[in-house]
Amino acid sequence: MNIHFGADYYPEHWPEERWETDARLMQEMGLQVVRMAEFSWHKLEPEDGRFDFTWLDRAIALLGKYGIKTVIGTPSAAPPAWMIAAHPEILPTDREGRTRGFGGRHHDCQSNEVYRAYVRRMVTEEAEHYRDDPNVIGWQIDNELGNSHGDLCHCESCRRAFGKWLQKKYGSVDALNRAWGTAFWSQEYNSFDEIPTPRITVCGENPSQMLDWNCFHSDLILDFASMQAEILRRICPGKFITHNFMGFSELVDYYDLAERLDFVSHDQYPCLPDEFSPSRSEAGAAAALDVVRSFKERSYWIMEQQSGITGWQTMSRAPEPGQLSAWTMQSIAHGADCVVFFRWRVYRYGTEQYWHGILPHSGTPGRRYEELRDCIKSAGPLMDRMQGAVPRAQAGILYSFRQNYAITIQPQHPQLSYTGQLQAWHRALYGQNIPVDFVQGGTVHGDLPHADFSRYRLLIAPLQYLMTPAMEELFTAYVKNGGTLVLTMRTGVKDENNVCMTDRELPGRLSEAAGLEVRDYDCLRGTDVKVTFEGKAYTAVKWADLITPSEDTEVLAEYAGGWYAGTPCITSHRFGKGTCVYVGTEPGPELMEALTAKLCAEAGILPLAKSDRGVELMQKENASGSWLFAINFTGETKHFEVPAGRTMILGSAADTLGPYETQIFEG
Ligand code: GAL
């Protein structure tokens, strides 16, 4: 029996007399696990060195009586006030040199040795205390590492750590000067001690320094997490270690972090107020789940699944009846073994007074409780069979944190976003019911990808901006051996140090596979461009590469307006046994869909089936079976085609979905 549903529970927020009611209601709803204590440092260590686990012991034991297991979060995302008062140097410093104060969370510097000593002691105490508790099944390290740490930390300890990191990477300061091109604006350094963290400057910054800073920061967070993982593994070998990721968040390279964990968890909020995330959609939610699955190439947990209105100062729309279940089913369809709802009950105090949970402020079960209870009742019995199941995609989209950093440092077009671009390609495939994987496209340090490209018939590699000879070889080999590779504008512009390459026309040595050169381009500021593809006019945005194709290169699309009308913008080149497609612009959504439909058809990738807009079809499989999910994300009745040979195991009228209904088919 595996664990499949749970809630994020904060017993310390409520009188102890209430706990038993909560446990009973959870059990009646079908919950089997809670995550607790990830922000409870003060309750666990009210004074320096005085530990008190008794309240948590009582909560764990009581929940255990109701068949509910516990995942404990290490509390390093919320160091207590006594610690900060005694060691104010733990507080982080921002780019402007201001110390951020106590009163929110994540108010810590992760390189600070005093803080690290406190964290080590706390995690060791917790691990020893719960090592033999059968109700505690696993650990969550910290909470959303990198969250709120956007431009942190620039304190003296971080400056020293950055210097050491650079010294290890470059060996000598001369090598660093050469790599960063510090001759520009007289930025040469005579020693590593002179190198600042990139605080706010009078004007401008060195892109190579910024890239190293981003990678250093990722490594710092990784090191902070690894320190905790090592303690937990040593003391509690029988319990799992996970962490709650945030989809496309970029502060720590999640591929690296995933290596330290038994499995990855993710916090899934499909509907947030604008100030958190302005454009949310089912496609975006699906992309987040697909990217999370890619970090360890296996099934995952949802550690926080939205269970009501979200928001701090302002609120999101209320999930419509059925919507929470549809989102839950979507998480499962893309590879979740367990869904933990955030949170059990909305709290009356503090920042998150309006971040609603399964239970409202009153604590009385209502619409959300009943809906999720029914959802668990119908999906629960299928979950054991589907344990470990994941979609098997034939199309992949490359994702590299290093490329993301470099494009974010210099987007070139103000709206060009690396992860936005990835999601646009994903959306086009998603809209056609074509399952897609994200694929690790190289490490944060610029090493080659671990992933095996040959699993994919179609590999989309957007914005391969930083290029190395080894990467060029890998791409070329993939095409030679029969793959269809999609390269885009801004490929091969820079070397691994974020320095422009001068020994080539774009896209460098990939010219041969792509069958073209790009000798000129236009940044589409304040305008778009018309493009003709298969005899139809479409819109493209942000960028226009002016392609000079080789003789044997097929032109798929050309610009239709402006001074470069008639110039190719999308091409296809047979090379070896495969094809290299080059897309020199950002296709608008219609063109993206038409282009991906053509590429998939030519690569022999079929959609799962046809469906109305607003219906998601997704299939996942494990060694014992395969399951097709059909999820209606609208409040209206919708239809889809049921592929032959499937047996309905959830739902009533196959091919017709009621509002927000999910159907599951086996076989
Ligand atoms: C998540 C976080 C939770 C809670 C929630 C709502 O990002 O992990 O602790 O803060 O958002 O704000």
Side-chain angles (χ1 to χ4, degrees):
M1 235 292 282
N2 295 297
I3 302 258
H4 303 300
F5 294 98
D8 298 299
Y9 186 43
Y10 301 90
E12 70 276 27
H13 290 176
W14 305 102
E16 199 158 334
E17 309 81 83
R18 167 75 192 197
W19 295 0
E20 185 135 20
T21 306
D22 285 337
R24 181 179 49 76
L25 286 170
M26 286 181 197
Q27 186 192 45
E28 285 169 9
M29 186 183 163
L31 301 186
Q32 303 153 301
V33 67
V34 291
R35 180 199 61 185
M36 299 197 287
E38 77 280 11
F39 297 113
S40 309
W41 196 321
H42 187 274
K43 283 267 178 305
L44 297 170
E45 189 183 1
E47 286 165 5
D48 198 342
R50 182 166 71 78
F51 293 90
D52 177 12
F53 294 108
T54 52
W55 66 274
L56 188 55
D57 293 348
R58 290 197 299 279
I60 291 170
L62 177 72
L63 288 154
K65 243 178 52 194
Y66 284 83
I68 297 164
K69 302 289 186 196
T70 293
V71 175
I72 299 181
T74 65
S76 49
W82 58 254
M83 188 191 300
I84 301 298
H87 302 281
E89 70 277 14
I90 289 174
L91 290 171
T93 305
D94 68 20
R95 285 191 78 202
E96 297 183 29
R98 299 172 303 195
T99 303
R100 296 287 183 94
F102 181 87
R105 58 179 172 180
H106 298 289
H107 38 256
D108 55 69
C109 161
Q110 291 177 354
S111 76
N112 182 283
E113 280 307 327
V114 176
Y115 185 47
R116 284 188 170 216
Y118 275 119
V119 172
R120 272 196 296 273
R121 187 173 72 179
M122 167 53 88
V123 174
T124 306
E125 288 283 332
E126 272 194 315
E128 278 169 355
H129 190 86
Y130 290 109
R131 171 176 34 206
D132 300 320
D133 189 331
N135 284 318
V136 176
I137 55 171
W139 299 94
Q140 172 189 295
I141 292 175
D142 201 283
N143 189 76
E144 294 187 339
L145 284 160
N147 187 358
S148 329
H149 260 247
D151 68 352
L152 303 172
C153 164
H154 294 259
C155 72
E156 182 50 24
S157 155
C158 283
R159 194 193 63 74
R160 275 198 307 272
F162 185 41
K164 268 199 200 144
W165 186 93
L166 291 169
Q167 186 153 21
K168 186 156 171 241
K169 175 169 177 187
Y170 291 104
S172 75
V173 78
D174 287 346
L176 176 140
N177 282 321
R178 276 194 303 277
W180 287 8
T182 48
F184 184 75
W185 286 353
S186 186
Q187 286 171 7
E188 288 100 332
Y189 298 103
N190 291 340
S191 98
F192 285 99
D193 294 336
E194 293 174 3
I195 303 174
T197 66
R199 284 199 183 187
I200 192 165
T201 61
V202 174
C203 100
E205 47 211 11
N206 181 325
S208 302
Q209 179 186 11
M210 292 303 289
L211 179 61
D212 272 337
W213 169 249
N214 283 178
C215 297
F216 157 75
H217 211 280
S218 172
D219 279 357
L220 179 65
I221 296 176
L222 186 68
D223 190 56
F224 186 74
S226 304
M227 171 184 92
Q228 300 196 33
E230 277 155 25
I231 298 170
L232 296 170
R233 256 195 224 298
R234 178 167 46 80
I235 303 175
C236 298
K239 304 193 193 295
F240 66 72
I241 303 176
T242 188
H243 174 70
N244 51 340
F245 289 39
M246 301 174 283
F248 284 95
S249 165
E250 77 295 353
L251 275 168
V252 51
D253 185 327
Y254 280 156
Y255 292 103
D256 277 351
L257 184 53
E259 282 178 22
R260 272 67 175 178
L261 309 173
D262 293 302
F263 58 85
V264 158
S265 298
H266 164 65
D267 295 346
Q268 178 76 339
Y269 293 101
C271 179
L272 293 168
D274 283 1
E275 65 270 22
F276 283 89
S277 174
S279 56
R280 287 261 155 171
S281 63
E282 273 67 54
L289 297 169
D290 287 340
V291 83
V292 162
R293 190 179 65 248
S294 82
F295 296 135
K296 219 170 164 66
E297 295 186 12
R298 56 154 295 181
S299 56
Y300 51 83
W301 276 35
I302 299 293
M303 199 56 97
E304 297 181 15
Q305 172 83 39
Q306 181 169 348
S307 65
I309 288 179
T310 55
W312 287 359
Q313 287 79 21
T314 68
M315 294 193 226
S316 72
R317 295 291 309 274
E320 292 183 21
Q323 210 167 6
L324 294 176
S325 310
W327 290 335
T328 303
M329 290 300 201
Q330 185 187 32
S331 291
I332 295 169
H334 286 254
D337 286 330
C338 178
V339 178
V340 179
F341 296 98
F342 188 88
R343 50 193 164 160
W344 174 244
R345 179 175 173 186
V346 55
Y347 193 31
R348 53 193 302 226
Y349 301 106
T351 310
E352 294 181 349
Q353 285 164 322
Y354 297 125
W355 204 288
H356 293 68
I358 298 171
L359 297 187
H361 283 114
S362 70
T364 309
R367 170 169 83 88
R368 299 193 295 274
Y369 178 90
E370 283 158 19
E371 178 181 323
L372 292 175
R373 179 197 57 202
D374 294 349
C375 173
I376 292 170
K377 213 170 186 180
S378 52
L382 313 174
M383 294 292 283
D384 263 345
R385 249 143 80 200
M386 297 192 294
Q387 181 75 14
V390 285
R392 292 259 170 257
Q394 295 178 313
I397 301 175
L398 228 53
Y399 181 20
S400 144
F401 280 70
R402 194 171 173 84
Q403 301 285 8
N404 188 16
Y405 294 153
I407 295 279
T408 307
I409 291 163
Q410 285 171 303
Q412 300 150 83
H413 183 285
Q415 268 92 47
L416 183 64
S417 135
Y418 176 81
T419 54
Q421 186 88 179
L422 261 49
Q423 290 182 65
W425 285 100
H426 181 278
R427 199 176 310 119
L429 294 162
Y430 173 83
Q432 298 169 71
N433 297 323
I434 296 174
V436 51
D437 280 347
F438 287 96
V439 182
Q440 194 237 26
T443 72
V444 75
H445 301 293
D447 305 322
L448 286 179
H450 311 312
D452 172 14
F453 290 178
S454 67
R455 289 211 307 254
Y456 300 97
R457 290 172 184 233
L458 174 68
L459 189 67
I460 302 173
L463 298 169
Q464 295 301 302
Y465 182 55
L466 307 177
M467 190 51 67
T468 59
M471 233 11 230
E472 284 166 334
E473 250 168 57
L474 199 70
F475 281 135
T476 304
Y478 171 74
V479 181
K480 263 195 189 149
N481 292 329
T484 298
L485 174 70
V486 179
L487 296 173
T488 74
M489 75 262 198
R490 310 318 283 146
T491 290
V493 176
K494 295 197 172 190
D495 71 9
E496 66 273 25
N497 290 319
N498 211 7
V499 171
C500 289
M501 293 206 251
T502 48
D503 61 338
R504 62 203 34 231
E505 297 291 352
L506 297 175
R509 279 177 288 269
L510 287 167
S511 280
E512 201 196 339
L516 54 80
E517 281 189 352
V518 175
R519 299 189 195 136
D520 204 353
Y521 44 72
D522 187 11
C523 177
L524 299 173
R525 303 269 316 214
T527 185
D528 52 24
V529 67
K530 290 283 169 271
V531 159
T532 314
F533 173 71
E534 296 185 323
K536 261 182 83 182
Y538 291 92
T539 302
V541 295
K542 293 180 196 159
W543 196 263
D545 271 344
L546 309 188
I547 296 175
T548 306
S550 316
E551 253 169 37
D552 59 346
T553 298
E554 190 191 346
V555 174
L556 299 184
E558 6 177 277
Y559 297 109
W563 59 270
Y564 37 83
T567 306
C569 68
I570 305 178
T571 57
S572 172
H573 183 234
R574 293 284 308 166
F575 184 75
K577 293 193 211 129
T579 304
C580 184
V581 174
Y582 187 90
V583 182
T585 185
E586 181 174 313
E590 284 88 36
L591 178 54
M592 200 70 126
E593 195 157 324
L595 177 64
T596 46
K598 176 184 165 74
L599 299 180
C600 285
E602 286 175 1
I605 302 175
L606 299 174
L608 290 169
K610 288 209 174 91
S611 69
D612 290 346
R613 292 264 163 190
V615 172
E616 173 178 323
L617 300 183
M618 184 48 63
Q619 179 166 297
K620 66 171 183 173
E621 51 196 74
N622 61 17
S624 63
S626 150
W627 297 270
L628 177 81
F629 286 65
I631 309 171
N632 180 359
F633 285 114
T634 76
E636 294 145 32
T637 300
K638 295 280 178 187
H639 300 278
F640 67 102
E641 237 173 38
V642 183
R646 315 282 176 130
T647 315
M648 181 184 245
I649 55 169
L650 184 75
S652 45
D655 87 9
T656 303
L657 288 161
Y660 295 109
E661 187 189 344
T662 297
Q663 296 182 357
I664 305 180
F665 300 82
E666 202 159 22

